[in-house]
Amino acid sequence: MSGVFLAGGAAAALFASALAGTTVDTEPVSTVPAEKIQVGVNTVNGSGCPAGTAAVAVSPDNTAFTVTYSNYLASVGVGSHPTDFRKNCQLNLNVKVPHGFTYAIASVNYRGYAYLEKGATALQKAQYFHQGSAETKSATHKIDGPYDNNWQHTDEAEVGEMVWAPCGVERNFNINSELRVDGGSSNLKETTSFMAMDSTDGAVSTIYHIAWKKCES
């Protein structure tokens, strides 16, 4: 994809290709289209999102869509398997926008919970791209132990940094996310450290905020 998210001054995502011969207004529209955006899940793959544990919903005002996970946790130490230190999820979404509009992802909010012993570290990473894009960039956020709290990370783009989805052409939107925990100098034989894209009620929402533009013929 070719719309750029910046996090801590580093490019975090890129949205796909040129606008396929169709132009868009130079500024985002102040109101969203009346017709509801349609987001469907084509495929969900990864150790962090087993079948039935990820769901997608669209906000009533068409300004965001939400991916909810219920079993996304990476861990090391007591009770963990060797492969549990890294969990990932790859979502392929079919995004259908109202006629005459195009969109870009303006910001992404991730939330979860982490418990890290002293000496342990964790990271959350994400990549975003439209189908057919030759370029993909990512954002990475790190947490150092000791840590025992909720976490929240945001990747955000300024208007001038957004590149928009092609007008009049459907492009599947891909989201690749990852959680990783490193035990570091912590005592893995007696302690457990983990990072979850989860919450106390068993599900946390990852929200993708949408910016809109009108397409010009």
Side-chain angles (χ1 to χ4, degrees), residues 104-124:
I105 304 302
S107 66
V108 185
N109 301 322
Y110 293 95
R111 297 182 179 89
Y113 184 85
Y115 177 86
L116 303 173
E117 293 284 342
K118 182 178 180 180
T121 60
L123 66 82
Q124 175 262 319

Side-chain angles (χ1 to χ4, degrees), residues 112-205:
Y113 184 85
Y115 177 86
L116 303 173
E117 293 284 342
K118 182 178 180 180
T121 60
L123 66 82
Q124 175 262 319
K125 181 178 181 180
Q127 297 176 321
Y128 320 86
F129 60 96
H130 281 296
Q131 178 186 16
S133 171
E135 297 180 275
T136 302
K137 290 192 176 182
S138 63
T140 301
H141 303 275
K142 184 180 178 182
I143 300 175
D144 294 320
Y147 190 92
D148 183 8
N149 208 339
N150 296 315
W151 57 266
Q152 177 175 334
H153 300 146
T154 300
D155 304 333
E156 190 167 15
E158 298 295 333
V159 170
E161 296 164 345
M162 297 178 193
V163 178
W164 302 80
C167 283
V169 180
E170 288 189 12
R171 300 290 192 200
N172 290 343
F173 179 49
N174 295 276
I175 306 165
N176 297 339
S177 61
E178 174 183 339
L179 299 179
R180 188 186 294 259
V181 179
D182 186 340
S185 60
S186 64
N187 187 347
L188 297 182
K189 295 182 179 180
E190 297 182 3
T191 65
T192 302
S193 294
F194 68 87
M195 184 181 195
M197 202 174 290
D198 202 346
S199 67
T200 54
D201 64 358
V204 68
S205 297

